[in-house]
Amino acid sequence: MTLQRWVFLRKLTAAAATASSSPPPPFSRPSSLSRCTHVLGFSQSVAANMAEEAKKLAAYSAVDNNVQNNQVVGVGSGSTIVYAVDRLAERVRQEKLNIVCVPTSFQARQLILQHGLALSDLERHPELDVAIDGADEVDAELTLIKGGGGCLTQEKIVAGNSKCFVVIADYRKDSRVLGEQWKKGVPIEVIPMAYVPVSRVIAKRFGGEVNLRMAVSKAGPVVTDNSNFILDWKFEHVQNWSEVNTAIKMIPGVVETGLFVNMAERAYFGMEDGSVKVRKAPVS
């Protein structure tokens, strides 16, 4: 199956290369700009397809290698987790698994229900066997930036109450150090009344730029599932993330940070060539 995906991706790449070198059809006489725009759009489509396939590869591999019968599974949020739930539901049907799922967000809850999986919560299952979630960026030490979708607090609670926390991502999220790939900063969930003083304290103590995250399809700021605001801290340089995470959490008004330090046990990256790279947490 992996070979088939690889062949498919190679065909898409070859098609993009052909499109960039082929002459325009007779009588069409497109301008150089329109040809470049067409090729660029096609290349972007190829890249998007490759990334989606990589997400699926990582998600399927993680579910196949970490989920067993009679387990309670934490279900994360984001685009990559959609493939993990697809595979989880497929295995439940095919293997008759007894699996209970605990969501990290409204989106995760809806995915669980749509796939007919057993839904639970931390009140009934305060300890989970495994949690599977995506990440915005993963560094060489398996330190994560999460919260691009605004669900960082619930995600950290579920991950923190799991015996094993597994991350799934595509090759674009794999970095040597935080900030190498992800340029939007560290998400920080705050009580609404505190967003200005918290922003000032973070910028003063740690440098960089702190912005209130604004909604796209509505007027005003993004509001989390907990009715809070999200700040995005664009840091200037690599920090001691464990110390910074603790220091920010101690600022009055901060609910949680998107820094996941010493939490992930392993990460699965879907790669461009159709393989899956697995990174384990360093032994302390």
Side-chain angles (χ1 to χ4, degrees):
M1 193 66 176
T2 299
L3 178 60
Q4 292 176 341
R5 292 192 180 101
W6 182 84
V7 171
F8 171 70
L9 293 174
R10 295 298 296 176
K11 286 181 178 179
L12 284 176
T13 305
T18 301
S20 64
S21 59
S22 299
F27 311 113
S28 61
R29 298 184 182 276
S31 66
S32 297
L33 178 60
S34 65
R35 288 182 62 192
C36 289
T37 302
H38 173 73
V39 172
L40 178 61
F42 190 84
S43 298
Q44 290 174 337
S45 176
V46 171
N49 287 334
M50 290 179 69
E52 288 303 311
E53 189 66 22
K55 292 178 185 180
K56 185 175 180 179
L57 287 169
Y60 274 47
S61 183
V63 170
D64 288 348
N65 286 283
N66 294 279
V67 176
Q68 302 175 17
N69 193 27
N70 297 317
Q71 284 189 329
V72 182
V73 179
V75 177
S77 309
S79 58
T80 309
I81 206 68
V82 173
Y83 297 111
V85 177
D86 286 344
R87 179 55 179 162
L88 185 59
E90 187 176 65
R91 287 193 60 198
V92 167
R93 291 192 303 269
Q94 293 176 351
E95 303 172 36
K96 309 300 181 184
L97 300 181
N98 177 33
I99 298 294
V100 175
C101 298
V102 175
T104 61
S105 64
F106 181 81
Q107 177 220 14
R109 182 180 184 276
Q110 294 305 105
L111 283 171
I112 292 167
L113 293 175
Q114 288 168 8
H115 285 77
L117 296 168
L119 176 69
S120 189
D121 51 46
L122 290 174
E123 291 181 319
R124 286 172 286 183
H125 293 90
E127 185 178 65
L128 287 66
D129 294 291
V130 60
I132 300 176
D133 206 346
D136 298 310
E137 190 170 34
V138 184
D139 75 4
E141 302 296 317
L142 242 58
T143 300
L144 319 174
I145 291 180
K146 289 177 53 56
C151 303
L152 56 144
T153 298
Q154 300 97 300
E155 290 171 346
K156 190 173 280 190
I157 291 171
V158 170
N161 287 283
S162 302
K163 297 176 184 177
C164 176
F165 176 39
V166 176
V167 177
I168 52 177
D170 63 78
Y171 52 89
R172 301 172 301 174
K173 310 300 177 64
D174 183 11
S175 294
R176 183 177 53 87
V177 295
L178 296 185
E180 188 175 69
Q181 304 283 355
W182 181 254
K183 304 300 183 181
K184 298 181 180 180
V186 176
I188 300 165
E189 184 165 349
V190 297
I191 300 297
M193 68 173 289
Y195 85 89
V196 171
V198 169
S199 300
R200 289 167 59 89
V201 171
I202 292 174
K204 183 178 180 179
R205 291 182 61 181
F206 305 107
E209 179 183 340
V210 185
N211 297 308
L212 177 64
R213 187 183 298 180
M214 304 304 290
V216 175
S217 299
K218 65 175 281 291
V222 168
V223 178
T224 71
D225 287 0
N226 306 311
S227 300
N228 294 319
F229 290 170
I230 296 286
L231 299 176
D232 289 304
W233 170 43
K234 297 181 179 179
F235 53 91
E236 295 175 332
H237 54 83
V238 177
Q239 314 250 1
N240 182 320
W241 296 119
S242 180
E243 293 181 1
V244 169
N245 178 58
T246 300
I248 292 178
K249 288 185 66 173
M250 293 301 294
I251 300 172
V254 171
V255 177
E256 190 53 86
T257 82
L259 290 167
F260 283 53
V261 185
N262 299 324
M263 296 186 71
E265 185 171 309
R266 64 183 67 92
Y268 291 79
F269 297 99
M271 306 305 291
E272 294 170 284
D273 63 0
S275 66
V276 175
K277 181 171 74 173
V278 182
R279 178 178 302 154
K280 296 183 179 180
V283 178
S284 56

